[in-house]
Amino acid sequence: MNAPNPFNITTAVDYSDEEINRYWVDFMSYDKSFPQLMKTDSPMPMLILGSKGSGKTHIMRYFSFNSKKIAYQDDFASRLVEDKYIGIYLRCGGLNSSRFQGSNFSNAVWKTLFGYYIDLWFSQLLLLIVEEVIFSTNVEVDELKICNEITSNLFDNDIQFEACKSFSELRSLLRALQKQVDLEINNCSITGKTVVDVKILVSPGRLIFGMPKILERTVSIFRNFQFIFLIDEFENLLEDQQKYINTLVREREAPVTFRVGARWYGMKTYKTFSGEEDIKEGSEYEKYVIDRMFREKKDFYDQFVKEICVRRLEESGYSLASNNLTDFDFSQYYEKFNFSKYFESLAKRGDRIGHFTALKSVLKSRLKATDIQIIVSNLSFPDDLVLERTNVFIFYREWRRSRGTGLVAISEDIKNELDSWRINPDGRTATRHYIVLEKFRNDITDQLFREAQDSIPYTGFQNLVRMSVGIPRLLLITLKHIHRWSVFQGENPFRKDIVGVSAQIKGVEEASTWFLEDARIPGPNGKKVSDVISRLGQFLRELRFADTPPECSLCAFSINLNDINDNIRLVLDYLEQYSYLINVPDRIEKNSVRKFVTYQVNWLIAPKWDLPLSRRGILQLSKDEVSAIFGDDSDNFEVLRRNKINRYNAPFSDVSSGQSLFDEIDL
Amino acid sequence: MRPIDFSIFYKKKYSTLHDFTSANCYDILISAYNDSERVKKVFDEISASQKHWLVFPEYQYTAAEIPAQLGGTAVFNFTGNSSRTEGEIIREYFSGLKLSSATRICIDITGFIRPHLIFLVRFLASAVKNPVDFIYTDPVTYKRKEDTFFSFDYTDVRQVEGFQGVHNPDSTNDYLIIGSGYDDQRITDVSKKKANAKKVQLFGFPSLQPDMFQENILKAYKAEEASSSGRENFIDKDATLFAPANDPFITANVIKEYVDKEERSKSITNLYLSPLSTKAQTLGFAIYFLAECEGKPASIIFPFCDHYSRETTEGISKIWKYTIGLNDLLVI
């Protein structure tokens, strides 16, 4: 039987409360460990935003009572008192909130019903925890008295309830009230009735703020406690429903506070019902964007995900070679691609190799066969394919520069320069080869793979971490697929064998496909955004592999903000929020007031378009290009793409005039 | 409440359309219009005093493509307003219909959009006392095998109206039972919506045709990342159920047995059902809910789409008739 895949679980929702603790790894940045970030002693509400898979749920669940009580173990009472807070974890997905809308009732009615419903819901969750604390600590509590205070002081005056003798009975009462709302909504959709028969028995927020206040005053163990509602999956709420929570955040009353977790795109509004005003960052809430923080603190992130992986392996029963996590070298378990061996086998193709086939084809209509033969011979250097491909690269550059004249002489110059490179190592820095390789080495190497129609090897642990762009789940999913392939190919990873290159290539390919499928955007914009990313990927790939690429390591582009309209802004927002694109710091053009926004393609999908895993050159997109790729002018994309690509590919024609620039030149 | 065995309900298989039409006649035949031979031909040949085509917005027919009202055929075209919910459409349709206790109703579920079918079942349970015949026609094959596309333009996962349940704030032991068909993107959508729930997949086995089970598994595996809950094996005995693809009653029984078994070991905090496979199994999910889940922390959820393929299959294989006293299920 195979050993378990240590990376099988990739989402925190699949963990039990006990596993949430067991698999917990802190982010050890000097100023941003998770406890420092959560500030459980701070009354200031907090928004914890992040891409899907950035770790929001794991963090929020870790600080919830249900996980903490497991960590407290035998010291339950003392450690609870030491922590001085109760984390009440709530998943908005469980509210099934989309039923609080429809044509039966007015918006105002739905808003009221939802507010009432969520107050009842939160209160039941709170009572569940209170019951458990009282049971586990044996603290003396007059439940009858407290329940009486809650029902008589918090509910509307004209309501008489049967006395609740315990928190459990009070919870049943709240559940019965919640059930009335549930049944009303269900029945109205069957019958189509338009009048609500549910009576709202408590003012908005009164239970949520009132119950903790009473508990903090009357139950000794809760003295000076903070009650933190950890509201996760906020993106599942409709706009008006978020407004209600935002209003609670604004109007919060001690000892209650909130930590709200949402995906980037999940914050549909920052408005409140207090005059439609926004909640204010800084004074009314703090905000953290988890994956942005990870990206900004790259070294800490690398260590963080390494520890996550080590923890997975340990928990799955693998014993690792080293106990020292800081120095632990994960890359030893992932085979590195052997470039020299690959190039050796490629060199055997001689002048049938991809770059010469393409070159001969483009020269065929321009030069005599003997001249072509001389050029190919001058540029050949089978001892080192990267240098040979660099010869071809320089040749194309010079072709472009010379407007196609003297190509045989150009090839001779290149040959001589390479000879001097070989003979005089000290003088290499002055050669064009050196200058080109300094910037374009990765592109030239990848060009060799592409021209040989082989997959570019996105392999090695460091590269896999890099591809996760600050989103731990992306790494775990990639490792999961790689592990499966490794086992399927007969390897015994982390025990007898290292993970082979082939398994890594296949695993990365699957993870990349999964991402594109998983990040689908619901609604009418989904198809549009998916088309945009395809156009963008194709555009960047063709430029990257052009004969004379406009930039090195091309996976990023920048856009002049003056060039985008609301539609394009919306598409760009979607691409960023769903992590197709990663925003990189803005730049201001020198001596200009023009403001640019720069994005790079998520490196997990880089393999789909053979893009590099490093960002150097940034392609400045023109207004027309922006419109054709991202906007409503996509019909024009093909023409524009061809024009652009032809500008960078031999024979460097001007397609708009329908003629090659060099057709008239006598070669 | 007494325990119910869904297998006691009446079902009959007809090998040919002729066999069916010569043995059955109705006062009203209700069918959902689409381009499938197995929908149109059955509609044409069944004997009924009135025949009603329901044209759902998701098939996106233009006015010129809507079938003509001829003789006893009436067309109820709902394509005008795509924002109407399943409840609004079905209620509107029945608002103009006079049904008596003697009305013999036949509903061809083959071309129905699933949420509309599910709501229809709930609506009829309250509105009609006598049993209703549901018919379902097996195809010979799916047009493009496992590459057949069924739904497009996904909007959101939400509860089907009338099946919204009374949910529980405690979500520590939630379950999602998915009737997993070919439409893998929808399996992913629904799994992601209830990410914290333990996912159980119910596959159609035996399938409608022998090769369809393998195609089904191949497709469902594409949703593995979202639907597996981190399990080591895709087909896991603790999280995989099987019921015949064309038998709603065994489907309902299989769900019931599984839920009862799980409940015995630990109370399920919230139960979500999502029928994404054949219409016959969808009917099974709906009747299970009616009989077992009303007023409980359970609901039927569905990944809604704005657009469905008008034709996904070829040929007519067998015709099934399921006779169900829906109103009886409510009071069981």
Side-chain angles (χ1 to χ4, degrees), chain B residues 73-210:
Chain B
T73 299
V75 177
F76 296 82
N77 181 10
F78 297 100
T79 51
N81 179 357
S82 62
S83 66
R84 269 187 294 189
T85 64
E86 64 280 8
E88 289 166 343
I89 287 176
I90 298 297
R91 282 199 312 269
E92 184 185 323
Y93 165 66
F94 277 99
S95 66
L97 224 58
K98 285 199 175 70
L99 300 174
S100 75
S101 58
T103 309
R104 291 165 303 163
I105 303 173
C106 174
I107 296 167
D108 183 356
I109 63 176
T110 314
F112 261 75
I113 306 291
R114 286 176 187 79
H116 300 68
L117 168 62
I118 296 165
F119 183 82
L120 173 69
V121 167
R122 181 64 188 82
F123 184 88
L124 289 175
S126 294
V128 176
K129 296 273 185 256
N130 48 325
V132 175
D133 279 357
F134 292 88
I135 58 170
Y136 178 71
T137 308
D138 290 351
V140 173
T141 181
Y142 285 106
K143 272 195 153 178
R144 298 182 57 207
K145 301 285 190 180
E146 71 269 22
D147 292 326
T148 309
F149 285 97
F150 296 85
S151 59
F152 313 88
D153 304 339
Y154 159 71
T155 54
D156 190 20
V157 174
R158 65 165 171 82
Q159 295 162 308
V160 175
E161 290 182 328
F163 292 80
Q164 291 154 316
V166 179
H167 280 281
N168 189 347
D170 178 5
S171 58
T172 49
N173 195 34
D174 288 2
Y175 275 65
L176 166 63
I177 301 180
I178 308 167
S180 292
Y182 280 39
D183 213 346
D184 63 284
Q185 291 191 344
R186 303 292 86 83
I187 299 173
T188 299
D189 295 331
V190 82
S191 301
K192 279 158 67 177
K193 189 71 175 187
K194 294 297 169 197
N196 71 306
K198 177 179 174 181
K199 279 102 188 164
V200 177
Q201 296 197 71
L202 189 152
F203 291 105
F205 187 79
S207 49
L208 301 179
Q209 299 294 341

Side-chain angles (χ1 to χ4, degrees), chain A residues 3-6 8-11 13-14 17 52 66 90-91 93-99 101-104 117 120-121 124-125 128 175 178-179 182-183 185-193 233 236 263 473 477 480-481 484 514 517-524 527, chain B residues 85 87-88 91 119 122-123 126 153-172 174 184-186 188-189 192-199 221-222 224-226 228-233 269-270 272 289 294-297 299 301 306:
Chain A
N5 186 336
N8 239 354
I9 293 186
T10 54
T11 59
V13 290
D14 289 329
D17 291 321
K52 191 177 163 191
N66 284 349
L90 156 84
R91 259 180 243 288
L95 290 162
N96 300 300
S97 62
S98 55
R99 70 202 149 124
Q101 62 180 347
S103 58
N104 298 52
Y117 191 86
L120 295 169
W121 191 272
Q124 289 175 71
L125 285 169
L128 264 174
R175 175 120 178 94
Q178 176 217 317
K179 189 171 180 174
D182 283 322
L183 291 177
I185 293 172
N186 200 36
N187 289 338
C188 84
S189 61
I190 298 169
T191 60
K193 72 175 196 158
E233 302 176 354
N236 281 312
R263 292 184 192 156
R473 189 187 299 165
I477 284 174
K480 167 176 149 173
H481 286 292
R484 278 187 188 166
W514 164 84
E517 182 57 37
D518 189 72
R520 267 181 307 119
I521 295 163
K527 171 89 173 59
Chain B
T85 64
E88 289 166 343
R91 282 199 312 269
F119 183 82
R122 181 64 188 82
F123 184 88
S126 294
D153 304 339
Y154 159 71
T155 54
D156 190 20
V157 174
R158 65 165 171 82
Q159 295 162 308
V160 175
E161 290 182 328
F163 292 80
Q164 291 154 316
V166 179
H167 280 281
N168 189 347
D170 178 5
S171 58
T172 49
D174 288 2
D184 63 284
Q185 291 191 344
R186 303 292 86 83
T188 299
D189 295 331
K192 279 158 67 177
K193 189 71 175 187
K194 294 297 169 197
N196 71 306
K198 177 179 174 181
K199 279 102 188 164
Y221 185 72
K222 290 188 173 180
E224 179 266 350
E225 179 60 42
S228 72
S229 299
R231 284 188 309 274
E232 195 75 27
N233 300 312
T269 46
N270 291 290
Y272 295 98
F289 189 98
E294 286 258 305
K296 290 186 181 170
S299 49
I301 58 172
D306 283 343

Side-chain angles (χ1 to χ4, degrees), chain A residues 258-276:
Chain A
F258 301 92
R259 303 287 181 265
V260 178
R263 292 184 192 156
W264 275 47
Y265 55 86
M267 285 302 295
K268 295 172 181 135
T269 182
Y270 285 84
K271 290 200 181 312
T272 62
F273 289 135
S274 325
E276 290 287 302

Side-chain angles (χ1 to χ4, degrees), chain A residues 386-404:
Chain A
V386 175
L387 282 174
E388 177 176 286
R389 187 61 184 83
T390 309
N391 281 346
V392 176
F393 187 100
I394 296 169
F395 179 79
Y396 280 127
R397 274 195 153 187
E398 293 306 319
W399 178 346
R400 191 166 195 240
R401 197 167 291 160
S402 69
R403 299 171 64 86

